[in-house]
Amino acid sequence: MAAIAAPPSSVAAVVPASCSWPAPASVSVLPALRLPFRRRRSVSSRLYSSKSSSGADESLDGSSSCPGIGGTLHPAVPPPTRSGRGVPVFVTLPADAVTPSGRMTRRKTMGASFMALATAGVEGITVECWWGIVERETPGVYDWGGYMDLVMMARRCGLKVRAIIAFHQWGTGPGDPCWIPLPQWVLKEMDKEPDLAFSDRFGRRNKEYISLGCDVLPVLRGRSPIQAYSDFMRSFRDTFKDFLGVVVTEIQVGMGPAGELTYPFCPTEKLIRASTAAELGEFQCYDKYMLASLSACARNIGMRVWGYGAPLDASDFLKNPVETGFFRSDGSWNTPYGPFFLEWYSGLLLHHGERLCITTGAIFLGTGVKISAKVGGMHWHYGTNSHPTEATTTGYYNTVIRDGYLPILRMFARHRMTLCCTCFDLLDSEEKNNSRSSPETFLRQLLCAARMCNLPLTGENSFARLDDASLNQVIYNSRLYYGGAYETSLSFNYVRMNRNLFDSHNWNRFTRFMRRMSNNQTFQARLDSRGSESFLSSISAL
């Protein structure tokens, strides 16, 4: 299919300075330049409160209605001096730690596991608080019972809690043994108004997360999605107010599918089928709300023909991106049309993230908790000039001539957020089926941008494994960010707890990993020969 025409235009790409990360032996300190933090903007109470509905508002600050176009780079602030302590490790609980009916699962097993983790020197647990479980049947009716039990159990075991506010779906469908959809009342609204869900150019829907195009429209029984998210977080704050800042020390706000500030990868029905890592995905911008935004931006620059949809020659049918008209080296991604569309697509994502940063910061102001957000780790096709997987799958406008992560991380820095990112355990040498994939180079670019913005960082592993190669890679990447004469805050989430973790061989590896991450502090983390059998049998249900 022919590509959308790209006539000459004054629209040009914003190309920040490229950012390369030095080799481990030559990690240097960034210049101590000062970044003037902007005063936080006041936000209309109508936008973020369910008391009154608001209409569409394409811009938070009264700027152009075309998000993402333009912008300047800011130098980094001087990072704090080294504290000398190690890297705190948290362990993410199973996604079904709380049942769909809101009750804690496997209470005795969970208690034994918490005690083991505490003995091993783990700082705390990470738990997803699912929107589809807590507010499952009726809007404004919240059931936090199972999560309260988890928090109280963690407190008794001396563990801290990181709460992920999960506004997304988990699993591939009702047949999935761990299936957690959006709230039932939200799905009913989607059935009545299908355009609340993301859509690709073939009309295939994705219900993992509500479309960004209707963020501030009263489409959820008089509330906008942002208002519904705000009310949910406000209920969490009020319910756990006695634990905030003491036991519950961090809130990670979910900003998209998998909790990441991303677009969906593909339609929901396609999630059920196994897909290859090299697949490009499709631009998810064909619901009427996103198309209206795209059309308005195209009209504003006098190019109406660019406002009818995504580039048609960026299909996911071709697994090799260099063969597509849009993403090949000399493709239309690097013509005036390419920057227009990619900046609009990534710009909507930035607007969505900005709204949630402002909302979350206001709700938890003064509670003593840290606020974090997660970015996606799409490293496939990273070795190409156009980085097509990042553009289509996540919405990050990152190419060989443009750093697409700096705008996101600058936004997090403005709101004093912590960055969460994955791929800490991955090696390029393991990507045998995709020679253009480079998780190591992707992570170095992200770490470089995080250091420039002086962001606190939480690393994660991509796969729940405990082999020496992956654990050593986590330690290497942690030192890459944490080393040198100065440092920013760093912690690590091990994703995720299961019964294999407590196998005696894996447990020994995990406790050695804990000692190395914690500057060789000594922990009583032994499963003695007399107690190991009975303990391991008690957690075999995980």
Side-chain angles (χ1 to χ4, degrees):
M1 189 175 291
I4 296 178
S9 170
S10 60
V11 178
V14 178
V15 186
S18 61
C19 178
S20 59
W21 192 257
S26 60
V27 174
S28 59
V29 182
L30 293 171
L33 301 177
R34 185 167 298 277
L35 170 63
F37 281 97
R38 300 177 184 176
R39 180 175 297 177
R40 183 167 296 178
R41 301 183 183 96
S42 59
V43 184
S44 168
S45 60
R46 291 187 303 159
L47 185 60
Y48 299 118
S49 172
S50 62
K51 293 182 179 178
S52 60
S53 300
S54 62
D57 182 5
E58 286 296 324
S59 176
L60 292 178
D61 56 4
S63 59
S64 168
S65 62
C66 298
I69 297 180
T72 56
L73 291 176
H74 297 282
V77 298
T81 56
R82 291 179 60 88
S83 63
R85 62 190 297 268
V87 178
V89 176
F90 287 70
V91 174
T92 304
L93 299 186
D96 61 349
V98 172
T99 67
S101 61
R103 307 279 73 84
M104 185 203 298
T105 59
R106 304 180 292 268
R107 184 179 296 270
K108 290 184 178 179
T109 299
M110 200 71 74
S113 303
F114 281 17
M115 289 300 297
L117 295 177
T119 305
V122 169
E123 184 84 359
I125 59 167
T126 301
V127 56
E128 291 115 336
C129 299
W130 298 100
W131 188 25
I133 291 178
V134 177
E135 197 182 0
R136 54 186 175 274
E137 296 292 345
T138 307
V141 177
Y142 307 97
D143 177 9
W144 296 101
Y147 295 105
M148 178 62 75
D149 290 343
L150 281 172
V151 170
M152 293 180 69
M153 181 178 288
R155 182 183 65 175
R156 289 194 296 270
C157 296
L159 295 172
K160 296 177 181 177
V161 175
R162 279 180 172 161
I164 299 175
I165 307 299
F167 295 118
H168 60 283
Q169 158 193 306
W170 178 266
T172 57
D176 194 312
C178 185
W179 165 238
I180 306 173
L182 298 184
Q184 292 303 311
W185 65 270
V186 172
L187 295 178
K188 290 177 183 177
E189 295 303 311
M190 283 185 168
D191 290 339
K192 290 188 288 186
E193 174 53 281
D195 283 298
L196 297 183
F198 287 100
S199 176
D200 65 13
R201 63 193 173 104
F202 301 108
R204 300 175 299 185
R205 301 288 178 178
N206 184 297
K207 296 182 178 181
E208 290 181 81
Y209 194 82
I210 298 176
S211 170
L212 311 186
C214 54
D215 260 359
V216 294
L217 301 177
V219 293
L220 297 178
R221 301 190 186 181
R223 292 189 297 173
S224 70
I226 293 293
Q227 289 170 346
Y229 303 152
S230 302
D231 292 342
F232 186 85
M233 289 189 286
R234 197 173 292 110
S235 174
F236 178 94
R237 180 200 63 192
D238 295 343
T239 301
F240 294 94
K241 61 183 178 182
D242 295 333
F243 300 91
L244 298 181
V246 180
V247 180
V248 180
T249 57
E250 185 172 319
I251 303 296
Q252 181 178 311
V253 56
M255 293 187 170
E260 302 167 345
L261 182 60
T262 64
Y263 286 99
F265 167 63
C266 61
T268 302
E269 62 266 22
K270 201 170 184 180
L271 292 171
I272 302 173
R273 303 192 302 271
S275 60
T276 62
E279 195 169 356
L280 295 184
E282 286 279 353
F283 288 109
Q284 304 287 320
C285 62
Y286 283 87
D287 64 83
K288 68 180 182 182
Y289 302 106
M290 292 194 67
L291 283 178
S293 172
L294 175 61
S295 177
C297 282
R299 289 197 307 270
N300 283 349
I301 64 169
M303 298 299 299
R304 289 176 178 268
V305 69
W306 290 356
Y308 296 116
L312 300 179
D313 55 348
S315 172
D316 68 347
F317 293 125
L318 295 173
K319 295 179 182 178
N320 186 352
V322 300
E323 297 177 12
T324 66
F326 188 77
F327 286 119
R328 66 192 183 197
S329 294
D330 59 345
S332 50
W333 68 273
N334 202 24
T335 65
Y337 167 69
F340 162 78
F341 177 81
L342 293 175
E343 288 191 0
W344 167 81
Y345 196 59
S346 62
L348 275 187
L349 202 62
L350 281 170
H351 266 302
H352 176 69
E354 186 91 36
R355 291 181 178 116
L356 282 173
C357 285
I358 294 172
T359 301
T360 310
I363 290 171
F364 291 100
L365 181 66
T367 61
V369 299
K370 298 177 181 177
I371 308 298
S372 67
K374 188 177 181 181
V375 297
M378 293 298 174
H379 49 81
W380 307 298
H381 306 120
Y382 190 91
T384 65
N385 289 339
S386 57
H387 293 226
T389 307
E390 289 159 280
T392 57
T393 303
T394 59
Y396 301 156
Y397 183 13
N398 186 59
T399 69
V400 70
I401 58 174
R402 188 185 194 277
D403 191 332
Y405 297 102
L406 271 175
I408 298 172
L409 271 53
R410 290 200 306 265
M411 174 183 68
F412 290 166
R414 286 197 303 272
H415 298 284
R416 314 297 173 91
M417 306 277 281
T418 295
L419 168 67
C420 181
C421 63
T422 186
C423 295
F424 263 57
D425 59 326
L426 299 185
L427 294 158
D428 286 357
S429 59
E430 296 174 327
E431 301 293 314
K432 297 178 181 178
N433 296 328
N434 185 4
S435 60
R436 296 180 181 272
S437 176
S438 182
E440 293 184 60
T441 311
F442 152 76
L443 186 60
R444 288 185 184 183
Q445 179 185 354
L446 195 62
L447 296 185
C448 175
R451 285 285 289 268
M452 289 180 65
C453 297
N454 194 32
L455 274 178
L457 181 72
T458 295
E460 282 190 356
N461 51 309
S462 298
F463 299 101
R465 59 182 191 173
L466 288 163
D467 57 278
D468 289 334
S470 64
L471 294 180
N472 288 338
Q473 185 68 3
V474 169
I475 293 167
Y476 168 77
N477 285 321
S478 299
R479 290 175 178 170
L480 192 66
Y481 192 73
Y482 200 60
Y486 298 93
E487 67 189 23
T488 49
S489 173
L490 175 68
S491 62
F492 182 75
N493 278 343
Y494 175 76
V495 184
R496 63 181 70 232
M497 187 176 83
N498 56 36
R499 65 180 179 181
N500 293 328
L501 173 63
F502 299 99
D503 172 81
S504 58
H505 184 65
N506 288 335
W507 184 251
N508 288 335
R509 280 181 171 172
F510 181 74
T511 54
R512 288 197 300 270
F513 167 75
M514 285 296 308
R515 289 193 293 271
R516 294 178 68 188
M517 290 290 279
S518 304
N519 281 352
N520 297 315
Q521 295 177 19
T522 303
F523 298 109
Q524 298 175 352
R526 301 288 194 274
L527 291 177
D528 59 58
S529 57
R530 292 171 297 173
S532 59
E533 258 184 48
S534 59
F535 177 78
L536 290 172
S537 64
S538 73
I539 59 174
S540 60
L542 280 176

